[in-house]
Structure formats: C-alpha cells, structure tokens
Amino acid sequence: MSTRYNFREYEAKWQKAWAEALVYQTKEKTPKYYVLEMLPYPSGRLHMGHVRNYTFGDVIARYKRASGYSILHPMGWDAFGLPAENAAIQHGVHPKVWTLENVRFMKEEIQSLGISYDWSREILTCSPDYYRHEQKIFLDFLKQGIAYRKESFVNWDPVEGTVLANEQVIDGKGWRSGAPVERRKLSQWFLKITDFAQELLDDLTHLDHWPEQVKTMQANWIGRSKGALIHFPLIEKEEVLEVFTTRPDTIFGASFIGISPDHPFVEELAKTAPALHTFITECRALGTSQKDVETAEKKGFNTGLTVRHPFLKNHTLPLYVANFVLIDYGTGVIFGCPAHDERDYEFAVKYKLPILPVIKDPQEGPLPYGGEGLLINSEFLNGLTVEEAKKEVIHRLVTKKLGTAQISYKLRDWGVSRQRYWGAPIPIIHCTHCGIVPVPEDQLPVTLPEDVTFDQPGNPLDSHPTWKYVDCPVCGHPSERETDTFDTFMDSSWYFARYCSPHSAQPFERKEAEFWLPVDQYIGGIEHAILHLLYARFFTKALRECGYWNISEPFKNLLTQGMVCHETYRDQAGSWLYPNQVERRDGQLVKIADGTPVKVGRSEKMSKSKCNVVPAAKIVEEYGADTIRLFMLSDSPPERDFEWTEAGIEGSWRYINKVWRLVTSHLSDLRTVKADDVPLTFTDNALEIRKLTHKTISLVTQDIERFHYNRYVAHLREFTNALEEFIPNDASEFWTLHEAFHTLVLLISPALPHLAETLWAELGHPPFVVNQPWPQADPAFLREEEVTLAIQVNGKLRGTLVISPDLSVDEAKALILDLPFVTAQVQDSPVKKFIYIPGKIANVVL
RNA sequence: GCCCGCUUGGUGGAAUGGUAGACACAACAGACUUAAAAUCUGUCGAUCGAAAGGUCGUGCCAGUUCGAGUCUGGCAGCGGGCACCA
C-alpha cells in the first residue's frame, strides 16, 4: 500500500461512478431539504470564493442526505451582465461566445470539486428558455400594476454617448472617456417594491434563521419612519411645497426650506433663471451615486422665493435649492432646522442663516444637538418632550389643514431598465397609436438578436437595422420594440423557483415549487445582504400576488460567508505581482524574474486588480479536490474572512494522507472483525476510544448543524490523533478500532467525499459511502463521570479539582474549602459567598 | 457622509457569562535517513524565578457582575453595503 494518497486516480474514479449511478439525482420525497448556493456569475475561472461557497453547501447537503432527507442541490449561471459587454468592446468577442466559453470552463472546474449537484437541473439565465419566463413574469407584473414606467436619472457619458454603471464612473468621470459624467433623465421601467415595503419589513421578524446583521441592514434599507407632511405655501407664487419631516417638533427652529435640484418645481423655475439652470447642471455633474451626493460639499442656491411658516404669522423662510436634498426620499423638499441637524447646521453656517435652538440640551453641549429634551422657543410646544411635541404639532397641522401624519420609507421603487445589449429584452412594443403595448404571450420569447457589433456608442439594440422594427400587435401600425433590457438582478430574483422544475413550459410548476420552497439553506456572500436578498424576497411576494404560488419568503435559513483573502505583493516599481511571480530566497521574498525584493502588503480580498488571486483549478490539480475542500472548512468560521496561505493548503494535504495511512495500515487487522459480534467486555483502552468515538459523533453532528465547520475539522483531527496512538491488542480492541474507523470514514464523508469513498471500499464495502446513514452517538458514552472543576478565590483561578458532577453544593463546599491552595488564600477571613456551578466552577468570595 | 460588521499568541483561530489560547500553521530542538523529501517526538503569549510558583495579558477607555474575550456605553483601526459590478 502506497503511503501517499493517489487523489488523481480516486477522485476521477468516484466522480465518474457517482455520475453513472445518478447518486445525486433529486428525488421528490419527504422530508425534503433544499440547499442553494448563490447563482455564480461566469467570470471565466473558478475562484476561491466559489470553492468556499460550494464546499459549505456540499457539506450540509451530504450531511442532510445521510440524515435521511431528500435533497435538492442545483447549480446554474447568472449569465447576463456587464463584463460580457466589456469583453466584447475590449477584445471583440461576442458576449454570447465569451459567456458560454466561461460557463464551459467553470463548469468543468466545479465538477472537479466533486460537489453533490444534480446537474440535470442546470439553468442558464442568458438562454431564451430561461428569460422567456422572466418576460412572462414581467407581463404579469404589468397586469397586476407592479410594473410601471417613470422618468429617472442615469449616468450619462456625453463623449461615449452611453449610459454608465456607477462602477464605471470614477471621480465623476467616465472610466473610458474620462469625460465628466452628467445625471440625465430617461423614461424607464420600475417595479413597485415600495408597495411591499411594510410586508418586507414585517416579515423580517419571522426569518429566525437569518443573521441579525442582515435583517438589521434590510430594515434600515427599507427605512420606515414616522413623521409629518407639512404644506408650505409660497408667498410670491400660487404654489404649495410639501415637506416630509421626521422632526415636526422642531418646526419653530426652521430657518430655511431646501428643495432638491431635481424637483419638478425647480426645473420649472430654471426655465426662466439661467443662474439656477447653471446650478442644477453643477449638481447633476455628481452622477447618481448616493455616496458621492452625500459626501459632496453642501451647496445651495437662493431662489429669492419665500414660504410662510405654518404657525408664525408674518414669519417667512427662504427657499434654497440644495444639493444634499434627495429627490427620491420623502417629497424632495425639507425644512432646515440647523440647531438640531448636522447637515442643516453646516448649511446654515455657510449661508449665514439663523440658528435657533428649540430643544434644551440637558448637558448644555454644543450645537447641533440631536438628543432628547424639553421644547423651548416654540410657542405652544414649550415645555413638552420631543415625543409630545411631535404629536401636538401634527394635531395642530391637521386642525389647520396644513399637514398630516405620514409614514415614509427610504426604500425606492426598483428601476429594472438597462440601456444595454447583454440582458433579457423587455417584452414591450412602443406604438405611436396605441402607446405601450405588451408583446402577446404567444409571441414570447422576445429573443435577443445575435447579429450585433460594438463598434458604435450606445446599446447595439438601438442601432440594430431590423430587430427593433415590428408591427404593433394591436393596430398593425409600424412600431418599435423596447430596446432596453432587464437588470440582471431580475434573473437572480426567481431562479430558485425555476430549479424546482427547470424544464417546465411555465416559469415553474406550482406543485414542485411549493414542495421544495422555501430554500432550507441559502449560502452566499455578505455583499448580497441587501440588494439581491431584498429583490428575491420582493419577487416571491409579487409572484404570490400574481397567483403563481402561496409562498411569501424564499429563504428559510441564510448563511453569509466572508471573503477569501490573500497577501498582496508589489515589486520595486509598485506594480502588483501574482503569488506565482514571487518566491522565497534566503528568507526574503523576491521577484522570480529579476531577483529584486518584493514588498509584502496586507491581506486583501482576492481580486484581479491586486493580482492576489490563486486560481482554484491549479490547486485542485496539485492537491486534489478533498484537500482544497478541507482547507476551505478549516481554521476560519464561515462568516469570517478566510486567509489563503500556501502553508494552510499543505497542512490539509498532510491530514488527508494521515487518514489514508492510518486506515490502510490496519486493514489486515480489521478484516477479521465481525461488526455484529459485539464483545461482552472491553479493556479500559477500548472503552476510552469508544467514548471518544461517540463523543466525536455528537460533537461533529452539532458542529455541522451549526455551521461551525472549522470546529468540525478540529474535532476530526483530534479523533484522528487519538486513533493514531491506539494500538489494539485484544479482540475487544480490534472491534473498537473497527467501530472507530467506520465512524471516522462516515464523519469525514461530507467534507472529503472522495477519500471517504476510497476508504469505504478499502474497508471491504460496496459503494457508496455517500449513501450510508449518518452515525448515531450512543448516549451511554456521553455521560461524564468525573469533571475538572475550576476553583476560584475572589474570582481568581487558584487551582482545579476533579470530582463527580453530581455532588451537592454542601459536599463540594466542604471539599473545596479544605484544599490547600484555597486555605492558603482564605486564611482566617470569613467566606462571604460560595458560588458553585456543578461541572464548571466554584468561586470562594471573601 | 449614512447603515452593518470585525479586532484574542509570530499566524489562522477555540472558548452556552465560568480553567483564555482547543485544533492547526510557522519557528526552534531532536529521532529516522548516506542525503533529501516524507514521517515521528518535544518546546512554543509576555514577564519574574534555579524550581515550585507568581504577576500581567483577548484593539483602547469606562461600567454591570462573585466572575467579562463574551453583556452595556464611548473611542480608534480595518472591512462590507449605499440602489446601473455581481
């Protein structure tokens, strides 16, 4: 028997055998368990983040399979999106060719990992077989009033003549052209996610197995707030501005009205005011990124107009167009109360506006003050608390018909139009007679034409000579197709349903979807905590409203994994270097090409731009799938970032070989053991190993259930280390070793399925270990007869004592107070308190 | 700027409010070997001490508690998200 595990031979052998025996084919039986890893974008090569994600999913899928569940564990491709178009522009490859090539590579790489996917359910979002159903869903949304059209802003590159994504805008300039980007208005399709805002918020409370942090982020994103809508009539014009505020109590501290530069009233004003027009243009040079708008210097434009204060006769407030007022939140108009708001304060100082405190700061701290306190300088509100004042103001506003109570959400409707080629066509026809006409369902899919080029600016669909011209399905008049395509988030908002019946002529079969959903365990990166997960939750509810199913939440349990990081290297010139361009010579890292020293940077998320990517395929080639899988599970808990190191992968490889040597070196001894002939008596050594075997089953089971995968690996190692030292001498000990090895092979199988399968065969069993039931711990072995108790005096550890956990407090106290290291501390002092937690600790308080 | 996290030895990390550092990695010393690789054994938070043992120690500052890495408040550093990257 070789002392090195031949992973190349065995991994290929078992992957082939599993595939031929259709081991991972989904069977619709109860109890069911749906494991899903986030749909990958086919970037070309498998990276470590993917490997980590799929290994996490595979462990739970295999463990649940062994525990008697029927598993749905599918895989597919989020195949539309921007990078394919960038590749087309840069390298002249057609997006479809580029994407399918990437899928082909990545699929091969994923398959080499031996993940238990049912590949017969694979989906590809850029295939008309997939997006035709998305088009149908969109038309249903339209019927149901969930989809609608409105104007909104995009980043416009005036040189390229194209719309840019936020990531393509760098410091306010187009990434290719370098031209300053402007915010431009376009008519686009939106989905009414705001109609579901309250339900999306309320249902978070039922998602018991989602990380709190994700639920908090979603709740803040939805951003429900209670406040008031206040009417401010303009003095100079017949016009009333509506303001939404969460702080109506500070109304007497108002010193100005701020209105968004994108507000229709401002646009109207600008038509006759060139200076205002210039100001708006400046504001729009910021692009659409919220971060840029909020971090920009606060600027205002005094319109010269004034509004009347709702409660103070003869008191007027100036109307400023302010760059920090967002058109998408509230009404796009605010009243500024500088004494109690950071932004308003900054603005007021800059434009020399009055700052009148209306809430008394009990600490007399500096302004602005945002805390609680009693109202001052506020007429009828004086002496009230903030809460009372809010109620009173709203009451008076209602009485005077100048406002109402109002609930507002930060959440905005979801714009799904993209002015791009590589996405699902929006199934709409624009007819000059009939207006907006949905493509009739029997004409779906609206297929993306393939004969396009990227040699001119803008969306190739727009300049396509034939595709966009059709006759109106209603009146027959020559019309034009919608040339925008869907946001790719649409594709990933319902794919989990398609997997349930991937070949259906409908988007999905209701029966199958309702059988499998919700997804029992969803796993993916924390970077998707808000957008993707919120959109998928929204789609689920919207589909319910359209009568597709009776499901409200798609994902029951959620695991958000951290990123895979690696050290970064730069040469003397400061250029990033790949790990394979660097080597250690005489204890120093040098550039292989010329031997010059390398600057080692801190560990960062693996990314192409920093060159700190380790390709997964290379590691699988060198060490095998089980080794890379084991390393991904070791050391770091799933939620945390993972540090990729060469030494770490080596360590995992050593463990694989250790298990291989351990089991194969005892094979001849074990062949004589008959599992059914349980010995009547066991030696002490045997009992100790049996105890550890069952304890390990119990610990490992808990570890997997709780996703403590790093502890799962640690417990396997501890078990293996103990078995290495165990040299069996009599029949009971051989039987014990037999039990221990079978347990070990079963326990490693979710993580190391190829090695487990190999050893299972070596132990003389027919395939497949992956179909074997999960081992059960015998409770008789889990009870501790003696425990080590920590003994503290005044909370400080002074020693330990091995005793039975069943001793009473009095028995324990008598023993402990007699211990020499306790008496030395206690001396003559009276014992004030004696704390005794059986099995854990005793604390003598003096 | 706003929202959400994270911070423990040389390194990754372990620890239902109860013996801080499990399990690994690296390093060092040794065994085996002609040699190397592989494998095995030992040491491995800091500090004082010949030893027994003591003292300090979980980013920083306070607090709650018999007892805090863990809970609370504040601060710092790092990371994720911010609506057209996915």
Side-chain angles (χ1 to χ4, degrees), chain A residues 124-125 147 346 437 450 628 704 745:
Chain A
L124 181 68
T125 61
E346 197 184 317
V437 180
E450 293 186 17
I628 194 170
I704 295 178
V745 169

PDB file of all heavy atoms in Angstrom, chain A residues 124-125 147 346 437 450 628 704 745:
ATOM      1  N   LEU A 124     -29.368  28.451 -17.210  1.00  0.00           N
ATOM      2  CA  LEU A 124     -28.506  29.441 -17.842  1.00  0.00           C
ATOM      3  C   LEU A 124     -29.392  30.648 -18.124  1.00  0.00           C
ATOM      4  O   LEU A 124     -30.268  30.591 -18.972  1.00  0.00           O
ATOM      5  CB  LEU A 124     -27.949  28.843 -19.142  1.00  0.00           C
ATOM      6  CG  LEU A 124     -27.000  29.681 -19.972  1.00  0.00           C
ATOM      7  CD1 LEU A 124     -25.679  29.875 -19.235  1.00  0.00           C
ATOM      8  CD2 LEU A 124     -26.752  28.994 -21.313  1.00  0.00           C
ATOM      9  N   THR A 125     -29.150  31.750 -17.405  1.00  0.00           N
ATOM     10  CA  THR A 125     -30.111  32.856 -17.489  1.00  0.00           C
ATOM     11  C   THR A 125     -30.104  33.555 -18.846  1.00  0.00           C
ATOM     12  O   THR A 125     -31.065  34.229 -19.186  1.00  0.00           O
ATOM     13  CB  THR A 125     -29.861  33.903 -16.386  1.00  0.00           C
ATOM     14  OG1 THR A 125     -28.552  34.445 -16.565  1.00  0.00           O
ATOM     15  CG2 THR A 125     -29.994  33.313 -15.006  1.00  0.00           C
ATOM     16  N   ALA A 147     -45.504  46.585 -12.282  1.00  0.00           N
ATOM     17  CA  ALA A 147     -44.524  47.221 -13.163  1.00  0.00           C
ATOM     18  C   ALA A 147     -45.136  48.497 -13.725  1.00  0.00           C
ATOM     19  O   ALA A 147     -46.313  48.517 -14.068  1.00  0.00           O
ATOM     20  CB  ALA A 147     -44.133  46.277 -14.288  1.00  0.00           C
ATOM     21  N   GLU A 346     -24.488  72.786   9.067  1.00  0.00           N
ATOM     22  CA  GLU A 346     -23.399  73.105   8.154  1.00  0.00           C
ATOM     23  C   GLU A 346     -23.886  74.090   7.075  1.00  0.00           C
ATOM     24  O   GLU A 346     -23.211  75.058   6.730  1.00  0.00           O
ATOM     25  CB  GLU A 346     -22.925  71.798   7.504  1.00  0.00           C
ATOM     26  CG  GLU A 346     -21.570  71.881   6.853  1.00  0.00           C
ATOM     27  CD  GLU A 346     -21.214  70.572   6.146  1.00  0.00           C
ATOM     28  OE1 GLU A 346     -21.472  69.485   6.735  1.00  0.00           O
ATOM     29  OE2 GLU A 346     -20.720  70.629   5.021  1.00  0.00           O
ATOM     30  N   VAL A 437     -47.433  48.783 -25.638  1.00  0.00           N
ATOM     31  CA  VAL A 437     -48.161  47.547 -25.915  1.00  0.00           C
ATOM     32  C   VAL A 437     -47.318  46.359 -25.478  1.00  0.00           C
ATOM     33  O   VAL A 437     -46.193  46.196 -25.943  1.00  0.00           O
ATOM     34  CB  VAL A 437     -48.462  47.420 -27.434  1.00  0.00           C
ATOM     35  CG1 VAL A 437     -49.227  46.134 -27.719  1.00  0.00           C
ATOM     36  CG2 VAL A 437     -49.207  48.636 -27.926  1.00  0.00           C
ATOM     37  N   GLU A 450     -28.509  38.085 -32.338  1.00  0.00           N
ATOM     38  CA  GLU A 450     -27.080  37.818 -32.136  1.00  0.00           C
ATOM     39  C   GLU A 450     -26.195  38.628 -33.080  1.00  0.00           C
ATOM     40  O   GLU A 450     -25.010  38.801 -32.827  1.00  0.00           O
ATOM     41  CB  GLU A 450     -26.814  36.317 -32.295  1.00  0.00           C
ATOM     42  CG  GLU A 450     -27.471  35.542 -31.156  1.00  0.00           C
ATOM     43  CD  GLU A 450     -27.133  34.074 -31.156  1.00  0.00           C
ATOM     44  OE1 GLU A 450     -26.157  33.688 -31.823  1.00  0.00           O
ATOM     45  OE2 GLU A 450     -27.871  33.322 -30.490  1.00  0.00           O
ATOM     46  N   ILE A 628      -8.444  20.854  -1.064  1.00  0.00           N
ATOM     47  CA  ILE A 628      -8.892  22.252  -1.135  1.00  0.00           C
ATOM     48  C   ILE A 628     -10.187  22.416  -0.337  1.00  0.00           C
ATOM     49  O   ILE A 628     -10.383  23.402   0.361  1.00  0.00           O
ATOM     50  CB  ILE A 628      -9.019  22.718  -2.607  1.00  0.00           C
ATOM     51  CG1 ILE A 628      -9.143  24.239  -2.672  1.00  0.00           C
ATOM     52  CG2 ILE A 628     -10.200  22.112  -3.311  1.00  0.00           C
ATOM     53  CD1 ILE A 628      -9.019  24.782  -4.091  1.00  0.00           C
ATOM     54  N   ILE A 704     -21.658  20.555  12.477  1.00  0.00           N
ATOM     55  CA  ILE A 704     -22.194  20.702  11.124  1.00  0.00           C
ATOM     56  C   ILE A 704     -23.541  21.405  11.162  1.00  0.00           C
ATOM     57  O   ILE A 704     -23.795  22.323  10.392  1.00  0.00           O
ATOM     58  CB  ILE A 704     -22.304  19.336  10.417  1.00  0.00           C
ATOM     59  CG1 ILE A 704     -20.909  18.735  10.208  1.00  0.00           C
ATOM     60  CG2 ILE A 704     -23.017  19.476   9.073  1.00  0.00           C
ATOM     61  CD1 ILE A 704     -20.899  17.363   9.570  1.00  0.00           C
ATOM     62  N   VAL A 745     -14.684   7.339   8.830  1.00  0.00           N
ATOM     63  CA  VAL A 745     -14.941   7.435   7.393  1.00  0.00           C
ATOM     64  C   VAL A 745     -16.308   8.100   7.140  1.00  0.00           C
ATOM     65  O   VAL A 745     -16.441   8.952   6.258  1.00  0.00           O
ATOM     66  CB  VAL A 745     -14.861   6.044   6.727  1.00  0.00           C
ATOM     67  CG1 VAL A 745     -15.374   6.093   5.297  1.00  0.00           C
ATOM     68  CG2 VAL A 745     -13.427   5.542   6.759  1.00  0.00           C
TER      69      VAL A 745
END
